[in-house]
């Protein structure tokens, strides 16, 4: 589930960095997504230092989203359930 400002959206990226470009998929507050695995990359765009990124397995989107913008709890809560990308 995304947790972003109302009226804003979360863009899925081609890799775990903002320079990788976007896939064209947008997620809005309250959307649910399937997380395939996690990796590390750029820190979140708002400067909080969150370097975790999730690879999506959702409809036809296999892009990357930064953990800061998704309601998942702390890494210690989601890491036992979401595998590390290989």
């Amino acid at each position: 589930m995304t947790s972003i400002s109302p009226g804003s959206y979360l863009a899925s990226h081609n890799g775990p960095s903002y320079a990788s470009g976007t896939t064209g998929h947008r997620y809005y507050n309250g959307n649910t997504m399937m997380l395939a695995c996690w990796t590390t990359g750029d820190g979140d765009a708002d400067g909080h230092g969150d370097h975790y990124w999730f690879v999506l397995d959702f409809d036809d989107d296999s892009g990357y989203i930064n953990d800061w913008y998704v309601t998942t709890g702390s890494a210690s809560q989601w890491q036992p359930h979401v595998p590390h990308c290989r």
Side-chain angles (χ1 to χ4, degrees):
M1 176 178 302
T2 57
S3 58
I4 55 174
S5 301
S8 227
Y9 64 86
L10 178 63
S12 172
H13 288 78
N14 293 312
S17 76
Y18 295 101
S20 67
T22 63
T23 66
H25 292 273
R26 294 180 177 184
Y27 299 95
Y28 297 89
N29 207 25
N31 286 150
T32 301
M33 296 167 254
M34 297 298 296
L35 308 176
C37 61
W38 66 271
T39 190
T40 56
D42 286 354
D44 64 275
D46 293 320
H48 299 284
D50 191 331
H51 291 270
Y52 291 112
W53 287 73
F54 293 111
V55 175
L56 297 174
D57 181 13
F58 187 67
D59 291 335
D60 61 344
D61 190 2
S62 58
Y64 293 72
I65 54 169
N66 187 279
D67 172 54
W68 180 258
Y69 305 102
V70 184
T71 305
T72 57
S74 69
S76 64
Q77 290 173 306
W78 55 255
Q79 280 182 341
H81 307 287
V82 180
H84 188 259
C85 300
R86 303 283 171 210

